[in-house]
Amino acid sequence: MKPIASFYPFISQLPQNIVITFHQKPDADAMGSALALFHFLKQFHHRIKIISPTNWASFLHWMPGTKNVIDGDKHFETIQNDIANATWIFALDFNVFSRTKKLEPLFLASKAKKILIDHHEHPDTKAFDYGISLPEKSSTCEMVYDFIVDSGYKKLLNQDIATALYAGIMTDTGSFRFSNTTAKVHEIVAQLKKTNINHSLIHQNLFDNFSEQRWRFIGFILQNRLVVNAALKTALIAITKEDLEQYNIQTGDTEGLVQYPMGIKGIEFVALIVDRTEEVRCSFRSKLFFNVNEFAKQHFEGGGHIMAAGGRSKLPLAEVVEQFWAITQTYESILNG
C-alpha cells in the first residue's frame, strides 16, 4: 500500500468512475466521511457512486447527500456494474473488505485503484493500492478532513462537507468527551464552524430523532436485561430477538445503548450482546486500561479500538452470554487493576 500522499496528484485528473464505500450498518462516522468525500470529489466532476453494504439508521437520513447513497444489499444486481466499472474505490472507516459483507468479492475482483482511509488497527494493506491507517485518529471524518487539506484543497471545504465531517467527529469522540479528542480535533471543529454549520441542529438530528417506542425499549432493557458484576467491574446487556420484535426495533435503534452502563460508578468494562437471528453481535466498551480490541479479536471474531470494539458469534444467545462471563472471569486481575 502506497502512502496516501502519493494519490494526491490524481485528484484533479480527468473525471473518474469512483465508488465510495464503508462498513456494513454504517454509523455517523462512516456515513459522514463518505458524504464529505463525495461533496469534495464532485467538485472535480468525477462520476461518483456511494455504496453502502447494507441499510442504515433512519437518524442519518438528514445528512446532506444521503439521497445519493445506494443500499448495496437491496440493489445488489445494480451495483455490480458500478463496482466493476470503477477506476477508483475509496474504502472508509474499515480496513478489511470482509466488513462489506456480500460485496467483498465484488470489491476484491475489481481492477480499480483502491484507496484506504481508516482509523482501525491491523489493516489488510495488501488489499489496497494507496492508503492511510492511523488508529490514534479520533475518526475517519478527521482523516477525510486531513485528506482534503493536505492535498491542497482546503479552499474547497463547504457547508455540506463540514456538516458531514462534524457529525462523524462529534459522534466518534462521544460528543468530544473521549480520550481521542485531541487539540487537533478542536482545531478542525473551529475550521468547520467557519462554514456556518449549525452544530446544535446536527446534534439534535443525531440524538433527538428517535421514536417513542425506542425510548420505551431502552427503559425495558435497562430494567430487565442489564446485569452488573461488581467483582469483575463489568456490566452486560443481552438482548433477545423477541425483545427486538416486541418493540419493533429498527436499524440504529440500539445505537449508543452500550454506553449507558459506562456511567455506573466502578464499572470498567461493558458488553452489549444482541441476537440478530443470523448471528449474535457484540459491542464492547472500556474506560482506561482494558483493551477490548484484543478481547474482541481473541474471543469474538472482531476488533476495533482499544476502548471500543465489536464482535460476533454463530452460537445461540444463551451460550454466548455464558461464554462471555467465563472468558471475562479470566481477566479478573486486569479488570481490578
Side-chain angles (χ1 to χ4, degrees):
M1 185 174 76
K2 298 177 184 177
I4 194 72
S6 302
F7 183 79
Y8 295 160
F10 301 124
I11 293 174
S12 59
Q13 276 190 350
L14 292 174
Q16 304 289 314
N17 294 326
I18 299 175
V19 166
I20 300 173
T21 193
F22 37 73
H23 58 76
Q24 61 172 312
K25 301 296 181 183
D27 55 9
D29 187 35
M31 186 67 79
S33 59
L35 291 173
L37 188 62
F38 167 79
H39 290 299
F40 169 63
L41 291 174
K42 75 177 183 178
Q43 296 180 69
F44 298 92
H45 307 292
H46 296 302
R47 296 173 292 273
I48 307 169
K49 299 284 187 178
I50 309 172
I51 300 176
S52 173
T54 61
N55 64 353
W56 53 90
S58 61
F59 62 77
L60 299 177
H61 289 337
W62 64 273
M63 298 179 75
T66 50
K67 67 180 184 297
N68 297 290
V69 183
I70 302 168
D71 182 340
D73 192 31
K74 185 177 181 181
H75 301 283
F76 185 72
E77 299 302 322
T78 304
I79 56 93
Q80 291 187 54
N81 284 333
D82 293 326
I83 295 173
N85 295 327
T87 50
W88 300 345
I89 294 174
F90 281 90
L92 306 180
D93 206 35
F94 74 94
N95 58 25
V96 290
F97 277 108
S98 60
R99 294 295 311 280
T100 63
K101 297 200 75 173
K102 71 178 184 180
L103 304 190
E104 178 185 11
L106 301 181
F107 287 125
L108 293 178
S110 172
K111 298 186 183 303
K113 296 295 184 184
K114 302 176 182 70
I115 304 100
L116 173 70
I117 304 177
D118 178 62
H119 68 136
H120 297 88
E121 295 184 336
H122 310 301
D124 180 12
T125 55
K126 293 181 180 179
F128 302 96
D129 298 281
Y130 300 89
I132 185 166
S133 175
L134 296 174
E136 65 270 21
K137 287 291 186 176
S138 70
S139 56
T140 302
C141 278
E142 178 184 349
M143 298 178 71
V144 169
Y145 174 89
D146 290 340
F147 177 82
I148 295 170
V149 172
D150 293 346
S151 62
Y153 295 105
K154 183 178 180 180
K155 63 182 180 181
L156 296 184
L157 283 169
N158 57 37
Q159 193 174 82
D160 284 344
I161 294 173
T163 296
L165 292 179
Y166 182 89
I169 292 171
M170 187 258 290
T171 52
D172 257 31
T173 58
S175 297
F176 309 106
R177 73 182 186 274
F178 295 162
S179 59
N180 59 3
T181 310
T182 62
K184 173 72 179 297
V185 167
H186 288 293
E187 291 168 3
I188 290 173
V189 169
Q191 293 299 316
L192 299 180
K193 284 287 291 177
K194 291 180 180 179
T195 67
N196 293 317
I197 61 172
N198 187 335
H199 70 273
S200 297
L201 183 59
I202 294 171
H203 191 283
Q204 179 179 324
N205 284 333
L206 288 170
F207 297 111
D208 304 331
N209 200 15
F210 295 98
S211 67
E212 174 188 348
Q213 194 76 344
R214 189 253 185 180
W215 290 109
R216 294 190 181 279
F217 166 74
I218 290 175
F220 170 81
I221 292 301
L222 294 178
Q223 177 68 33
N224 297 281
R225 300 291 184 257
L226 172 63
V227 176
V228 176
N229 186 321
L232 291 175
K233 297 185 177 180
T234 297
L236 169 67
I237 295 174
I239 301 176
T240 69
K241 60 183 178 182
E242 290 77 18
D243 295 335
L244 300 177
E245 292 168 357
Q246 178 183 348
Y247 287 89
N248 192 29
I249 294 304
Q250 305 298 310
T251 297
D253 281 348
T254 59
E255 185 79 18
L257 189 53
V258 69
Q259 289 295 141
Y260 282 80
M262 294 291 284
I264 300 174
K265 184 178 181 180
I267 291 299
E268 297 290 340
F269 177 33
V270 174
L272 171 67
I273 300 178
V274 185
D275 187 347
R276 294 290 186 181
T277 304
E278 72 276 8
E279 64 181 7
V280 171
R281 296 181 188 162
C282 311
S283 295
F284 304 112
R285 297 293 184 273
S286 65
K287 287 183 178 175
L288 293 175
F289 51 81
F290 187 61
N291 189 329
V292 294
N293 175 47
E294 290 301 321
F295 182 88
K297 280 177 56 183
Q298 290 183 31
H299 306 294
F300 290 95
E301 302 177 32
H305 304 286
I306 292 175
M307 292 186 286
R312 61 182 57 84
S313 176
K314 292 294 185 181
L315 295 174
L317 179 67
E319 292 184 32
V320 177
V321 169
E322 183 179 353
Q323 179 187 45
F324 170 80
W325 284 120
I327 293 169
T328 303
Q329 186 69 48
T330 67
Y331 290 89
E332 181 175 11
S333 60
I334 297 175
L335 287 165
N336 282 283

